[in-house]
mmCIF file of all heavy atoms in Angstrom:
data_model
loop_
_atom_site.group_PDB
_atom_site.id
_atom_site.type_symbol
_atom_site.label_atom_id
_atom_site.label_comp_id
_atom_site.label_asym_id
_atom_site.label_seq_id
_atom_site.Cartn_x
_atom_site.Cartn_y
_atom_site.Cartn_z
ATOM 1 N N VAL A 36 -2.792 12.760 -5.189
ATOM 2 C CA VAL A 36 -1.469 12.116 -5.269
ATOM 3 C C VAL A 36 -1.011 12.028 -6.713
ATOM 4 O O VAL A 36 0.162 12.263 -7.013
ATOM 5 C CB VAL A 36 -1.508 10.723 -4.593
ATOM 6 C CG1 VAL A 36 -0.231 9.957 -4.855
ATOM 7 C CG2 VAL A 36 -1.745 10.865 -3.102
ATOM 8 N N LEU A 37 -1.919 11.722 -7.630
ATOM 9 C CA LEU A 37 -1.556 11.648 -9.040
ATOM 10 C C LEU A 37 -1.089 13.009 -9.554
ATOM 11 O O LEU A 37 -0.100 13.097 -10.291
ATOM 12 C CB LEU A 37 -2.731 11.146 -9.872
ATOM 13 C CG LEU A 37 -2.474 10.931 -11.354
ATOM 14 C CD1 LEU A 37 -1.354 9.911 -11.576
ATOM 15 C CD2 LEU A 37 -3.740 10.482 -12.053
ATOM 16 N N ALA A 38 -1.757 14.068 -9.143
ATOM 17 C CA ALA A 38 -1.332 15.415 -9.551
ATOM 18 C C ALA A 38 0.049 15.738 -8.983
ATOM 19 O O ALA A 38 0.885 16.338 -9.669
ATOM 20 C CB ALA A 38 -2.346 16.442 -9.085
ATOM 21 N N THR A 39 0.312 15.334 -7.753
ATOM 22 C CA THR A 39 1.621 15.564 -7.136
ATOM 23 C C THR A 39 2.721 14.828 -7.895
ATOM 24 O O THR A 39 3.787 15.379 -8.153
ATOM 25 C CB THR A 39 1.605 15.108 -5.664
ATOM 26 O OG1 THR A 39 0.580 15.800 -4.973
ATOM 27 C CG2 THR A 39 2.938 15.360 -4.990
ATOM 28 N N LEU A 40 2.441 13.578 -8.242
ATOM 29 C CA LEU A 40 3.443 12.782 -8.956
ATOM 30 C C LEU A 40 3.666 13.306 -10.375
ATOM 31 O O LEU A 40 4.790 13.291 -10.870
ATOM 32 C CB LEU A 40 3.019 11.314 -8.995
ATOM 33 C CG LEU A 40 2.973 10.604 -7.643
ATOM 34 C CD1 LEU A 40 2.439 9.197 -7.809
ATOM 35 C CD2 LEU A 40 4.332 10.591 -6.984
ATOM 36 N N LYS A 41 2.606 13.772 -11.031
ATOM 37 C CA LYS A 41 2.766 14.339 -12.374
ATOM 38 C C LYS A 41 3.552 15.637 -12.335
ATOM 39 O O LYS A 41 4.306 15.935 -13.252
ATOM 40 C CB LYS A 41 1.399 14.583 -13.013
ATOM 41 C CG LYS A 41 0.769 13.333 -13.562
ATOM 42 C CD LYS A 41 -0.504 13.653 -14.299
ATOM 43 C CE LYS A 41 -1.092 12.390 -14.889
ATOM 44 N NZ LYS A 41 -2.322 12.664 -15.644
ATOM 45 N N ALA A 42 3.388 16.418 -11.264
ATOM 46 C CA ALA A 42 4.122 17.673 -11.146
ATOM 47 C C ALA A 42 5.622 17.422 -10.997
ATOM 48 O O ALA A 42 6.443 18.197 -11.488
ATOM 49 C CB ALA A 42 3.601 18.481 -9.968
ATOM 50 N N ALA A 43 5.996 16.331 -10.325
ATOM 51 C CA ALA A 43 7.412 16.022 -10.137
ATOM 52 C C ALA A 43 8.049 15.593 -11.467
ATOM 53 O O ALA A 43 9.196 15.932 -11.747
ATOM 54 C CB ALA A 43 7.579 14.932 -9.091
ATOM 55 N N ASP A 44 7.326 14.820 -12.288
ATOM 56 C CA ASP A 44 7.774 14.396 -13.616
ATOM 57 C C ASP A 44 9.164 13.763 -13.604
ATOM 58 O O ASP A 44 10.017 14.083 -14.433
ATOM 59 C CB ASP A 44 7.728 15.566 -14.596
ATOM 60 C CG ASP A 44 7.821 15.095 -16.044
ATOM 61 O OD1 ASP A 44 7.348 13.977 -16.329
ATOM 62 O OD2 ASP A 44 8.386 15.833 -16.869
ATOM 63 N N LYS A 45 9.387 12.870 -12.644
ATOM 64 C CA LYS A 45 10.656 12.134 -12.586
ATOM 65 C C LYS A 45 10.433 10.851 -11.797
ATOM 66 O O LYS A 45 9.439 10.692 -11.100
ATOM 67 C CB LYS A 45 11.756 12.967 -11.923
ATOM 68 C CG LYS A 45 11.486 13.285 -10.462
ATOM 69 C CD LYS A 45 12.620 14.057 -9.839
ATOM 70 C CE LYS A 45 12.310 14.318 -8.370
ATOM 71 N NZ LYS A 45 13.404 14.946 -7.675
ATOM 72 N N TRP A 46 11.381 9.932 -11.925
ATOM 73 C CA TRP A 46 11.326 8.712 -11.130
ATOM 74 C C TRP A 46 11.639 9.054 -9.684
ATOM 75 O O TRP A 46 12.605 9.750 -9.400
ATOM 76 C CB TRP A 46 12.316 7.681 -11.651
ATOM 77 C CG TRP A 46 11.844 7.001 -12.893
ATOM 78 C CD1 TRP A 46 12.167 7.342 -14.167
ATOM 79 C CD2 TRP A 46 10.961 5.894 -12.972
ATOM 80 N NE1 TRP A 46 11.527 6.502 -15.047
ATOM 81 C CE2 TRP A 46 10.777 5.600 -14.344
ATOM 82 C CE3 TRP A 46 10.287 5.124 -12.040
ATOM 83 C CZ2 TRP A 46 9.973 4.562 -14.783
ATOM 84 C CZ3 TRP A 46 9.491 4.091 -12.480
ATOM 85 C CH2 TRP A 46 9.327 3.813 -13.832
ATOM 86 N N GLN A 47 10.801 8.557 -8.775
ATOM 87 C CA GLN A 47 10.981 8.811 -7.349
ATOM 88 C C GLN A 47 10.885 7.496 -6.598
ATOM 89 O O GLN A 47 10.223 6.567 -7.028
ATOM 90 C CB GLN A 47 9.880 9.734 -6.834
ATOM 91 C CG GLN A 47 9.757 11.035 -7.571
ATOM 92 C CD GLN A 47 8.535 11.794 -7.107
ATOM 93 O OE1 GLN A 47 8.294 11.908 -5.915
ATOM 94 N NE2 GLN A 47 7.766 12.307 -8.038
ATOM 95 N N SER A 48 11.507 7.464 -5.446
ATOM 96 C CA SER A 48 11.379 6.308 -4.577
ATOM 97 C C SER A 48 10.027 6.360 -3.884
ATOM 98 O O SER A 48 9.507 7.432 -3.575
ATOM 99 C CB SER A 48 12.493 6.307 -3.530
ATOM 100 O OG SER A 48 12.270 5.295 -2.581
ATOM 101 N N ILE A 49 9.465 5.203 -3.628
ATOM 102 C CA ILE A 49 8.187 5.169 -2.913
ATOM 103 C C ILE A 49 8.384 5.644 -1.469
ATOM 104 O O ILE A 49 7.446 6.081 -0.816
ATOM 105 C CB ILE A 49 7.560 3.764 -2.974
ATOM 106 C CG1 ILE A 49 6.079 3.814 -2.595
ATOM 107 C CG2 ILE A 49 8.311 2.792 -2.099
ATOM 108 C CD1 ILE A 49 5.319 2.564 -2.887
ATOM 109 N N ASN A 50 9.622 5.587 -0.998
ATOM 110 C CA ASN A 50 9.920 6.053 0.358
ATOM 111 C C ASN A 50 9.863 7.574 0.471
ATOM 112 O O ASN A 50 9.853 8.107 1.576
ATOM 113 C CB ASN A 50 11.291 5.546 0.803
ATOM 114 C CG ASN A 50 11.327 4.041 0.885
ATOM 115 O OD1 ASN A 50 10.319 3.399 1.148
ATOM 116 N ND2 ASN A 50 12.490 3.466 0.638
ATOM 117 N N ASP A 51 9.842 8.285 -0.651
ATOM 118 C CA ASP A 51 9.714 9.741 -0.621
ATOM 119 C C ASP A 51 8.306 10.178 -0.234
ATOM 120 O O ASP A 51 8.092 11.332 0.125
ATOM 121 C CB ASP A 51 10.058 10.342 -1.989
ATOM 122 C CG ASP A 51 11.512 10.144 -2.356
ATOM 123 O OD1 ASP A 51 12.313 9.821 -1.459
ATOM 124 O OD2 ASP A 51 11.844 10.309 -3.547
ATOM 125 N N HIS A 52 7.346 9.272 -0.335
ATOM 126 C CA HIS A 52 5.944 9.582 -0.027
ATOM 127 C C HIS A 52 5.372 8.518 0.916
ATOM 128 O O HIS A 52 4.445 7.785 0.544
ATOM 129 C CB HIS A 52 5.113 9.615 -1.310
ATOM 130 C CG HIS A 52 5.632 10.536 -2.351
ATOM 131 N ND1 HIS A 52 5.419 11.890 -2.312
ATOM 132 C CD2 HIS A 52 6.385 10.301 -3.463
ATOM 133 C CE1 HIS A 52 5.997 12.446 -3.355
ATOM 134 N NE2 HIS A 52 6.599 11.506 -4.063
ATOM 135 N N PRO A 53 5.874 8.402 2.133
ATOM 136 C CA PRO A 53 5.403 7.319 3.014
ATOM 137 C C PRO A 53 3.941 7.468 3.426
ATOM 138 O O PRO A 53 3.273 6.476 3.684
ATOM 139 C CB PRO A 53 6.329 7.425 4.227
ATOM 140 C CG PRO A 53 6.812 8.818 4.228
ATOM 141 C CD PRO A 53 6.875 9.233 2.777
ATOM 142 N N GLU A 54 3.429 8.695 3.458
ATOM 143 C CA GLU A 54 2.045 8.899 3.880
ATOM 144 C C GLU A 54 1.047 8.557 2.778
ATOM 145 O O GLU A 54 -0.149 8.428 3.034
ATOM 146 C CB GLU A 54 1.831 10.343 4.353
ATOM 147 C CG GLU A 54 1.955 11.392 3.265
ATOM 148 C CD GLU A 54 3.384 11.812 2.933
ATOM 149 O OE1 GLU A 54 4.331 11.287 3.538
ATOM 150 O OE2 GLU A 54 3.535 12.659 2.047
ATOM 151 N N HIS A 55 1.524 8.383 1.548
ATOM 152 C CA HIS A 55 0.645 8.089 0.417
ATOM 153 C C HIS A 55 0.928 6.706 -0.183
ATOM 154 O O HIS A 55 0.652 6.469 -1.351
ATOM 155 C CB HIS A 55 0.809 9.140 -0.681
ATOM 156 C CG HIS A 55 0.497 10.519 -0.237
ATOM 157 N ND1 HIS A 55 -0.741 10.907 0.205
ATOM 158 C CD2 HIS A 55 1.276 11.624 -0.152
ATOM 159 C CE1 HIS A 55 -0.723 12.185 0.526
ATOM 160 N NE2 HIS A 55 0.504 12.643 0.329
ATOM 161 N N ARG A 56 1.461 5.805 0.608
ATOM 162 C CA ARG A 56 1.862 4.490 0.097
ATOM 163 C C ARG A 56 0.675 3.719 -0.483
ATOM 164 O O ARG A 56 0.771 3.171 -1.581
ATOM 165 C CB ARG A 56 2.529 3.688 1.208
ATOM 166 C CG ARG A 56 3.104 2.373 0.756
ATOM 167 C CD ARG A 56 3.858 1.699 1.870
ATOM 168 N NE ARG A 56 5.008 2.474 2.274
ATOM 169 C CZ ARG A 56 6.248 2.251 1.871
ATOM 170 N NH1 ARG A 56 6.493 1.264 1.051
ATOM 171 N NH2 ARG A 56 7.238 3.003 2.274
ATOM 172 N N THR A 57 -0.460 3.670 0.210
ATOM 173 C CA THR A 57 -1.598 2.906 -0.293
ATOM 174 C C THR A 57 -2.171 3.534 -1.563
ATOM 175 O O THR A 57 -2.533 2.818 -2.495
ATOM 176 C CB THR A 57 -2.704 2.777 0.761
ATOM 177 O OG1 THR A 57 -3.071 4.073 1.222
ATOM 178 C CG2 THR A 57 -2.260 1.937 1.922
ATOM 179 N N GLU A 58 -2.228 4.856 -1.597
ATOM 180 C CA GLU A 58 -2.738 5.520 -2.798
ATOM 181 C C GLU A 58 -1.839 5.245 -4.000
ATOM 182 O O GLU A 58 -2.317 5.013 -5.106
ATOM 183 C CB GLU A 58 -2.866 7.028 -2.577
ATOM 184 C CG GLU A 58 -3.970 7.434 -1.629
ATOM 185 C CD GLU A 58 -3.527 7.465 -0.176
ATOM 186 O OE1 GLU A 58 -2.389 7.053 0.121
ATOM 187 O OE2 GLU A 58 -4.329 7.891 0.661
ATOM 188 N N ILE A 59 -0.521 5.256 -3.779
ATOM 189 C CA ILE A 59 0.425 4.984 -4.866
ATOM 190 C C ILE A 59 0.265 3.550 -5.371
ATOM 191 O O ILE A 59 0.273 3.302 -6.574
ATOM 192 C CB ILE A 59 1.870 5.260 -4.401
ATOM 193 C CG1 ILE A 59 2.073 6.763 -4.226
ATOM 194 C CG2 ILE A 59 2.884 4.674 -5.367
ATOM 195 C CD1 ILE A 59 3.382 7.156 -3.586
ATOM 196 N N LEU A 60 0.073 2.616 -4.460
ATOM 197 C CA LEU A 60 -0.113 1.226 -4.878
ATOM 198 C C LEU A 60 -1.428 1.050 -5.639
ATOM 199 O O LEU A 60 -1.487 0.278 -6.599
ATOM 200 C CB LEU A 60 -0.045 0.302 -3.669
ATOM 201 C CG LEU A 60 1.329 0.240 -2.997
ATOM 202 C CD1 LEU A 60 1.280 -0.627 -1.748
ATOM 203 C CD2 LEU A 60 2.387 -0.259 -3.955
ATOM 204 N N TYR A 61 -2.478 1.760 -5.227
ATOM 205 C CA TYR A 61 -3.743 1.715 -5.972
ATOM 206 C C TYR A 61 -3.573 2.317 -7.371
ATOM 207 O O TYR A 61 -4.097 1.779 -8.344
ATOM 208 C CB TYR A 61 -4.851 2.452 -5.231
ATOM 209 C CG TYR A 61 -5.428 1.716 -4.043
ATOM 210 C CD1 TYR A 61 -5.977 2.410 -2.980
ATOM 211 C CD2 TYR A 61 -5.443 0.327 -3.972
ATOM 212 C CE1 TYR A 61 -6.521 1.758 -1.894
ATOM 213 C CE2 TYR A 61 -5.973 -0.337 -2.885
ATOM 214 C CZ TYR A 61 -6.515 0.375 -1.852
ATOM 215 O OH TYR A 61 -7.051 -0.281 -0.775
ATOM 216 N N LEU A 62 -2.840 3.429 -7.472
ATOM 217 C CA LEU A 62 -2.593 4.049 -8.779
ATOM 218 C C LEU A 62 -1.805 3.105 -9.689
ATOM 219 O O LEU A 62 -2.069 3.019 -10.891
ATOM 220 C CB LEU A 62 -1.864 5.380 -8.618
ATOM 221 C CG LEU A 62 -2.686 6.528 -8.038
ATOM 222 C CD1 LEU A 62 -1.772 7.702 -7.702
ATOM 223 C CD2 LEU A 62 -3.776 6.955 -8.990
ATOM 224 N N ALA A 63 -0.839 2.399 -9.119
ATOM 225 C CA ALA A 63 -0.065 1.431 -9.903
ATOM 226 C C ALA A 63 -0.955 0.272 -10.331
ATOM 227 O O ALA A 63 -0.840 -0.216 -11.464
ATOM 228 C CB ALA A 63 1.116 0.925 -9.084
ATOM 229 N N GLN A 64 -1.855 -0.159 -9.472
ATOM 230 C CA GLN A 64 -2.768 -1.246 -9.797
ATOM 231 C C GLN A 64 -3.709 -0.838 -10.932
ATOM 232 O O GLN A 64 -4.050 -1.655 -11.788
ATOM 233 C CB GLN A 64 -3.577 -1.634 -8.563
ATOM 234 C CG GLN A 64 -4.470 -2.829 -8.749
ATOM 235 C CD GLN A 64 -5.181 -3.216 -7.466
ATOM 236 O OE1 GLN A 64 -4.894 -2.703 -6.388
ATOM 237 N NE2 GLN A 64 -6.124 -4.124 -7.575
ATOM 238 N N MET A 65 -4.101 0.437 -10.970
ATOM 239 C CA MET A 65 -4.971 0.933 -12.035
ATOM 240 C C MET A 65 -4.195 1.223 -13.316
ATOM 241 O O MET A 65 -4.787 1.486 -14.359
ATOM 242 C CB MET A 65 -5.683 2.206 -11.581
ATOM 243 C CG MET A 65 -6.727 1.947 -10.525
ATOM 244 S SD MET A 65 -7.708 3.389 -10.139
ATOM 245 C CE MET A 65 -6.561 4.399 -9.239
ATOM 246 N N GLY A 66 -2.862 1.226 -13.251
ATOM 247 C CA GLY A 66 -2.047 1.469 -14.435
ATOM 248 C C GLY A 66 -1.878 2.941 -14.769
ATOM 249 O O GLY A 66 -1.512 3.274 -15.886
ATOM 250 N N LEU A 67 -2.122 3.832 -13.806
ATOM 251 C CA LEU A 67 -2.001 5.260 -14.060
ATOM 252 C C LEU A 67 -0.587 5.784 -13.837
ATOM 253 O O LEU A 67 -0.266 6.890 -14.256
ATOM 254 C CB LEU A 67 -2.980 6.034 -13.175
ATOM 255 C CG LEU A 67 -4.463 5.748 -13.450
ATOM 256 C CD1 LEU A 67 -5.338 6.465 -12.444
ATOM 257 C CD2 LEU A 67 -4.812 6.165 -14.857
ATOM 258 N N ILE A 68 0.253 5.017 -13.148
ATOM 259 C CA ILE A 68 1.645 5.396 -12.943
ATOM 260 C C ILE A 68 2.530 4.206 -13.286
ATOM 261 O O ILE A 68 2.078 3.062 -13.272
ATOM 262 C CB ILE A 68 1.927 5.872 -11.495
ATOM 263 C CG1 ILE A 68 1.639 4.768 -10.492
ATOM 264 C CG2 ILE A 68 1.144 7.119 -11.163
ATOM 265 C CD1 ILE A 68 2.053 5.098 -9.071
ATOM 266 N N ASP A 69 3.786 4.496 -13.597
ATOM 267 C CA ASP A 69 4.763 3.433 -13.822
ATOM 268 C C ASP A 69 5.331 3.029 -12.479
ATOM 269 O O ASP A 69 5.692 3.876 -11.658
ATOM 270 C CB ASP A 69 5.881 3.915 -14.745
ATOM 271 C CG ASP A 69 5.387 4.187 -16.151
ATOM 272 O OD1 ASP A 69 4.455 3.496 -16.581
ATOM 273 O OD2 ASP A 69 5.929 5.093 -16.801
ATOM 274 N N PHE A 70 5.437 1.738 -12.253
ATOM 275 C CA PHE A 70 5.896 1.202 -10.981
ATOM 276 C C PHE A 70 6.991 0.196 -11.286
ATOM 277 O O PHE A 70 6.798 -0.713 -12.085
ATOM 278 C CB PHE A 70 4.731 0.522 -10.263
ATOM 279 C CG PHE A 70 5.061 0.021 -8.894
ATOM 280 C CD1 PHE A 70 4.985 0.870 -7.807
ATOM 281 C CD2 PHE A 70 5.424 -1.291 -8.687
ATOM 282 C CE1 PHE A 70 5.268 0.412 -6.538
ATOM 283 C CE2 PHE A 70 5.713 -1.758 -7.428
ATOM 284 C CZ PHE A 70 5.632 -0.908 -6.343
ATOM 285 N N SER A 71 8.155 0.372 -10.679
ATOM 286 C CA SER A 71 9.274 -0.526 -10.936
ATOM 287 C C SER A 71 9.946 -0.899 -9.624
ATOM 288 O O SER A 71 10.307 -0.029 -8.831
ATOM 289 C CB SER A 71 10.291 0.147 -11.855
ATOM 290 O OG SER A 71 11.450 -0.652 -11.963
ATOM 291 N N ALA A 72 10.101 -2.187 -9.406
ATOM 292 C CA ALA A 72 10.827 -2.680 -8.231
ATOM 293 C C ALA A 72 12.107 -3.377 -8.680
ATOM 294 O O ALA A 72 12.592 -4.291 -8.039
ATOM 295 C CB ALA A 72 9.945 -3.624 -7.434
ATOM 296 N N HIS A 73 12.666 -2.922 -9.787
ATOM 297 C CA HIS A 73 13.814 -3.577 -10.405
ATOM 298 C C HIS A 73 15.070 -3.518 -9.541
ATOM 299 O O HIS A 73 15.808 -4.491 -9.458
ATOM 300 C CB HIS A 73 14.083 -2.956 -11.776
ATOM 301 C CG HIS A 73 15.233 -3.564 -12.498
ATOM 302 N ND1 HIS A 73 15.207 -4.855 -12.959
ATOM 303 C CD2 HIS A 73 16.455 -3.080 -12.816
ATOM 304 C CE1 HIS A 73 16.365 -5.130 -13.540
ATOM 305 N NE2 HIS A 73 17.132 -4.070 -13.475
ATOM 306 N N LYS A 74 15.316 -2.409 -8.880
ATOM 307 C CA LYS A 74 16.565 -2.246 -8.124
ATOM 308 C C LYS A 74 16.356 -2.358 -6.618
ATOM 309 O O LYS A 74 17.074 -1.753 -5.841
ATOM 310 C CB LYS A 74 17.199 -0.898 -8.447
ATOM 311 C CG LYS A 74 17.660 -0.794 -9.881
ATOM 312 C CD LYS A 74 18.365 0.512 -10.133
ATOM 313 C CE LYS A 74 18.825 0.608 -11.568
ATOM 314 N NZ LYS A 74 19.499 1.866 -11.845
ATOM 315 N N GLY A 75 15.365 -3.111 -6.180
ATOM 316 C CA GLY A 75 15.147 -3.300 -4.749
ATOM 317 C C GLY A 75 14.080 -2.375 -4.199
ATOM 318 O O GLY A 75 12.995 -2.805 -3.854
ATOM 319 N N THR A 76 14.364 -1.100 -4.111
ATOM 320 C CA THR A 76 13.396 -0.135 -3.605
ATOM 321 C C THR A 76 12.423 0.222 -4.724
ATOM 322 O O THR A 76 12.849 0.613 -5.805
ATOM 323 C CB THR A 76 14.101 1.156 -3.126
ATOM 324 O OG1 THR A 76 15.072 0.816 -2.144
ATOM 325 C CG2 THR A 76 13.101 2.127 -2.537
ATOM 326 N N PRO A 77 11.120 0.076 -4.480
ATOM 327 C CA PRO A 77 10.163 0.431 -5.534
ATOM 328 C C PRO A 77 10.271 1.890 -5.933
ATOM 329 O O PRO A 77 10.425 2.774 -5.096
ATOM 330 C CB PRO A 77 8.806 0.142 -4.875
ATOM 331 C CG PRO A 77 9.090 -0.810 -3.795
ATOM 332 C CD PRO A 77 10.466 -0.476 -3.310
#
Side-chain angles (χ1 to χ4, degrees):
V36 171
L37 184 59
T39 303
L40 294 176
K41 281 186 178 181
D44 195 31
K45 64 178 181 175
W46 283 96
Q47 305 173 46
S48 172
I49 196 168
N50 297 330
D51 294 344
H52 305 280
E54 67 278 1
H55 300 298
R56 186 175 296 262
T57 54
E58 290 88 354
I59 290 172
L60 294 176
Y61 284 152
L62 289 170
Q64 185 176 351
M65 289 187 288
L67 296 175
I68 61 173
D69 293 328
F70 184 85
S71 172
H73 180 67
K74 294 184 180 179
T76 304

